[in-house]
Every structure is written in C-alpha cells, then in structure tokens.
Amino acid sequence: MDMAKTDLIAVVGCGYVGLVTAVGLAEQGMRVRAFDVDPVRLAACREHQFPMLEPGLEDAARAAGDRLTFHNVREEAWPHPAFTFIAVPTPQGDAGYPNLSMLRQVLMWIADGRSRASSENVIVIRSTVPPGTARWAHAEIERLIGGEVPVVANPEFLQEGRALQDFREPSRILIGSENRGAAEGLRDLMAFTSAPVIITDTSTAELAKYGSNAYLAMRISFANEMARLAEREGADPLVMLQAVGLDPRIGSRYLKPGVGYGGSCLPKDVAALVSMGSAANEPMELMRATQEVNELQRRRIIRTLADALEGLGGRRVAVLGLAFKPGTNDVRDSPGLQIARELLTAGADVVTWDAAVTSDLLPAADAELSVIGDPLEALRGADAAILCTEWPEIVDLDFSRAAEMMKGTLLVDGRYAWDPLRASNAGLDLVRIGTSRPVRHAAVSA
Ligand code: UGA
C-alpha cells in the first residue's frame, strides 16, 4: 500500500478505545479525524477534555494540534480515509451476546459516502466483536456499496489507566484479515512500535481478544477461590498465591485475590464467551465457573459485613472505592458501586469515597449515594468501612486517625490491601472476604 495515502485516518467512536487510538496515531504524525454522535462529548474533546481519566492522553492530544480534529457523523460524510478504525461500544446484549447495532450504524454511514470506496479504504474493527463479525461486515459493506472494501479485525489490548502507554508499546499487534494487502498496510501503519505482529484470519483475531480477557478473569477467580479456602484453613492467602505465582510457568500477575474483577471488559467478555459457547453447542464450563466465583465474591463481602455487624439495617458503612480499579474514574460494573447499592437496599446508611469518582460521574439511578471528598471524613461515625478499590490514599490510611473518626472498629478488606498488623495496632478489627474473624496474618511485601 502507498504510505502517502495512509495520511488520513478516521476513527469512529470517541470512547476509551477510539480516543486512545486517535490520539496515539496523531501523536505518530498522522492526520486523524475522530467521529462520534454525541455533540456534548465532541465539544469537550475539541477542548481536549476527555470523559475518562487517562494519564497523558489530554496532553498528547493538545500536542498533536491540528492533526487531530473532532467531527459529528450526523453532520459530516465519511471522508474516504485510507483507514477507518471503528471503536464503538459492543455492549452486552441478549443472553450475554454482544450487541452490534452501533457497528451496523457505522457501516451504514460509510456506505452513505459510497461513490469512491475501494480496496484503498481499509476498514479496521477495533471494537471487541465475536468471531465472524469482520466477515459479516465485509459482506454487508459489499452489499451496500457494491465494491470491494477490506475489513480487518484489529483488537486492542489497552488497560485503562495506562492505555496510551499500551498503545505506544503494545504487547502484540493482532491483525485478522482475509486481504493480505490490507493486513500489510495496517502493519506498516503500526510500524512505530517494535511489538510482535501476528497476521491471521479475522475469526482467529476476534476470538483471541476474548481469549485474553477470559484468561485474565479466570486467573482472578482462581485466586479468589483459593484465597477463600486459605482463609478457612488458617493459611495466608497472599503468601500461598505468591508461592504459586513464582513458578515461571504460572507467573504472579492477575493472581491478586479480592472483591472480584469489574470494568467494561472482563465481565462482558466472559459473558460473551458463555453465550457464544451455548450458540455453538460448546458449553464454556470454565467461563461459567469464572462468572459464578466473581459474583460470589461480591455477595460474600456483604455477608461478611452483615455477620460481623449482626445485621445491616441502620448501620453506617463507609465504602472506600467506587472506580472498578485504581487509576481510573470508570464505574462500569464496579464491585464498589454494586456493594454500595446492595448495602443501601439492605437498609444500611452508606457513605462512599473515591479518589477519582465524583457524584456527577455516577449513573442517575445512584443519585442518593453520598460521595464524600475526604476518606477520613467518610469514616466519621461509621460502624464499619469496606475497602473496594486499592487507591494508595486508602491502602496507606492513617489507622489511628481512622479509629478516632469511626464509631465502630470493623474494617473489611475487599482487596487484601490493608496491613492487618497496622490495623490491629490502632485497635481496629480487620476482616477479609472469606472470613468474619479478624485476621492475624503477617503482611507480605511484594
Ligand atoms: C482489560 C484487559 O486487562 C486489557 O488487556 C484489555 O485490553 C481491556 O480489558 C479491554 O478489553 O479493553 P481493564 O478493563 O482496563 O483491561 O482492566 P484490568 O486492569 O485488566 O482489571 C480488570 C479487573 O480485574 C479490575 O476490577 C481489577 O481490580 C481486577 N483485578 C485485576 C483483580 O481483582 N485482581 C488482579 O490480580 C488483577
């Protein structure tokens, strides 16, 4: 492919993946037009105020200057770019299967600018989509336009909180394509990284994305299940898992027990695999168990708290952490938010704190949830506090001051992040998810 023509890139969808892709490519000197349907979001993006907390992203967008511009798909036609990256949401739909309606709308928009579309206008699906989607999109575009437009599956592996860094230095670049020229064109476009490139067919690339997230989720559920048993047996969960992870065949990452995984990707992708398995008559038993263990963790932390407080009605509970993990202000499928909701439903008096989530970032249905800006203030008068997100402000909590602020003495550690000795020295009782007895294990350094 003629690299001069790769100069203009379109990115459709100004969410997490789209913005990181747009900014990341503009940073490499390419001219990028980013599209979305939401005028409010576009206006904020033009001011380089992005809806998510992502280190370096706004600065990099500012530095790209005029190379990165923002446009509304409802007002502008598809500009016939060399590459069109589609990064629209594929939310969990019926029975866990991803809903592809937004992807379909983008294809219709592309088809509206039909006149000159050809094999020089590669469409790149960056959203997470089930195997067969790129092939379907290719046929759909052909049907709508009547010409050959390559459709490539190029899943991303960005982690929230370090997404721009992951874009610059990905672990691998995965290109699924039935058209060799298009695959090589995309590989050349991404030549700014030294990451290994895998070129394969579209279904293999699409499924590999699910496989990666599902494997991470499965490890977390494994760690959680083993940690619960360890608590029952009086073993130290962290040392036990550290010992497991030191086997180089296993590795120590994603073996941290806690309240379970959340976010917009892992839960959705595990559910999608369960659904795909049912449709293909290949039951995904490990995925089902992974889901069940994850749900159990959230229920169990509430039971632990209810047992220790002898009921939740009227008890004041501080939920520390609403983001689904530290380093982000994303509350999608957040364990902390779900726990706060359930405590409210059970009649508890709930106050919350988070380092990045403010009440305006919560869904409208959570309007009655009180979010307090200072962690110690959130503890004032509390019968108990639950750690749901391991923000440094909470991991390093001044336990003596916490003990002064609280009415009760109960701390529930949903992330195995607090040092039990420090807590007990301050007169606080620390319990973890799997047990309602205070823990006495020595803390383990990484
Ligand atoms: C995840 C994957 O890690 C990315 O590779 C992928 O690109 C992305 O989904 C996506 O599909 O777009 P992300 O959703 O940002 O990234 O979240 P992770 O950092 O993987 O964390 C997921 C959840 O697992 C969090 O709730 C975290 O607290 C939890 N977790 C993680 C644990 O409970 N224990 C661990 O040891 C690690």
Side-chain angles (χ1 to χ4, degrees):
M1 179 167 289
D2 179 355
M3 280 305 286
K5 290 192 182 148
T6 62
D7 193 37
L8 181 64
I9 312 273
V11 176
V12 192
C14 291
Y16 229 102
V17 174
L19 279 174
V20 173
T21 304
V23 173
L25 291 173
E27 184 179 62
Q28 299 302 324
M30 292 157 212
R31 245 176 349 115
V32 181
R33 288 195 209 168
F35 289 86
D36 203 282
V37 286
D38 179 349
V40 177
R41 174 166 293 210
L42 285 166
C45 287
R46 286 186 192 113
E47 301 296 319
H48 304 125
Q49 280 163 4
F50 298 144
M52 70 290 286
L53 180 72
E54 195 55 54
L57 197 62
E58 294 181 348
D59 288 346
R62 225 168 273 122
D66 292 346
R67 285 199 305 281
L68 174 61
T69 51
F70 294 92
H71 310 261
N72 195 324
V73 289
R74 298 217 169 103
E75 293 162 5
E76 290 182 38
W78 183 56
H80 296 88
F83 292 93
T84 302
F85 286 85
I86 303 180
V88 292
T90 51
Q92 199 167 315
D94 294 341
Y97 198 81
N99 178 335
L100 301 178
S101 61
M102 284 181 244
L103 173 62
R104 187 175 282 116
Q105 277 166 23
V106 177
L107 297 180
M108 303 286 281
W109 174 68
I110 291 173
D112 269 351
R114 67 188 67 198
S115 50
R116 287 174 289 119
S118 72
S119 60
E120 296 294 301
N121 303 114
V122 179
I123 293 172
V124 184
I125 301 182
R126 196 108 167 107
S127 310
T128 301
V129 291
T133 304
R135 264 189 282 123
W136 161 80
H138 177 253
E140 191 67 2
I141 278 286
E142 197 166 34
R143 186 178 69 78
L144 293 165
I145 293 183
E148 162 62 27
V149 180
V151 178
V152 176
N154 172 229
E156 49 74 34
F157 299 97
L158 314 171
Q159 285 170 72
E160 290 192 20
R162 46 164 294 151
L164 190 57
Q165 192 185 334
D166 284 342
F167 185 86
R168 291 173 183 148
E169 296 160 23
S171 51
R172 69 282 208 199
I173 293 174
L174 184 53
I175 301 175
S177 179
E178 319 301 338
N179 178 316
R180 191 80 203 174
E184 286 170 358
L186 183 58
R187 182 196 59 199
D188 294 348
L189 189 80
M190 306 298 263
F192 56 86
T193 92
S194 53
V197 179
I198 296 180
I199 295 184
T200 180
D201 63 276
T202 50
S203 292
T204 305
E206 289 162 334
L207 192 56
K209 165 70 190 198
Y210 285 99
S212 300
N213 277 355
Y215 186 75
L216 295 174
M218 190 180 71
R219 283 177 69 103
I220 297 167
S221 281
F222 168 80
N224 283 330
E225 195 163 76
M226 289 296 290
R228 282 205 312 263
L229 184 63
E231 296 279 11
R232 290 277 166 225
E233 298 292 346
D236 185 318
L238 293 185
V239 177
M240 180 270 296
L241 287 164
Q242 189 183 30
V244 171
L246 277 172
D247 184 328
R249 292 171 300 175
I250 296 173
S252 58
R253 300 186 66 192
Y254 284 78
L255 270 191
K256 181 90 197 299
V259 71
Y261 59 80
S264 63
C265 305
L266 266 49
K268 170 174 86 72
D269 292 352
V270 171
L273 279 176
V274 169
S275 168
M276 284 177 220
S278 307
N281 209 17
E282 281 298 341
M284 303 291 278
E285 304 297 358
L286 270 177
M287 291 299 98
R288 273 210 201 113
T290 298
Q291 275 180 320
E292 262 166 43
V293 171
N294 202 50
E295 282 154 21
L296 188 63
Q297 290 304 101
R298 295 183 188 195
R299 284 204 300 277
R300 202 172 269 248
I301 197 165
I302 295 192
R303 208 174 72 203
T304 296
L305 187 72
D307 287 352
L309 287 179
E310 295 171 350
L312 293 170
R315 302 290 195 188
R316 189 171 174 87
V317 181
V319 175
L320 305 174
L322 293 174
F324 80 94
K325 65 174 184 180
T328 177
N329 57 7
D330 194 340
V331 294
R332 286 176 289 176
D333 207 342
S334 150
L337 184 55
Q338 191 190 333
I339 286 163
R341 285 173 182 154
E342 285 181 19
L343 289 172
L344 267 182
T345 308
D349 171 16
V350 180
V351 278
T352 66
W353 169 88
D354 192 273
V357 179
T358 43
S359 42
D360 55 311
L361 293 172
L362 295 178
D366 296 303
E368 57 173 311
L369 205 57
S370 127
V371 186
I372 303 216
D374 175 73
L376 282 169
E377 270 311 312
L379 293 173
R380 187 183 288 280
D383 292 294
I386 302 193
L387 185 160
C388 292
T389 315
E390 62 277 44
W391 287 105
E393 292 90 328
I394 290 304
V395 175
D396 302 331
L397 188 70
D398 180 337
F399 284 122
S400 309
R401 301 232 15 233
E404 282 163 26
M405 296 299 274
M406 289 176 67
K407 188 168 100 197
T409 56
L410 180 65
L411 298 180
V412 182
D413 186 353
R415 291 286 181 185
Y416 286 78
W418 271 330
D419 178 344
L421 288 180
R422 274 206 316 123
S424 62
N425 286 345
L428 295 167
D429 297 313
L430 182 74
V431 302
R432 286 164 172 168
I433 296 176
T435 171
S436 45
R437 286 171 286 121
V439 281
R440 302 272 175 239
H441 310 299
V444 176
S445 55

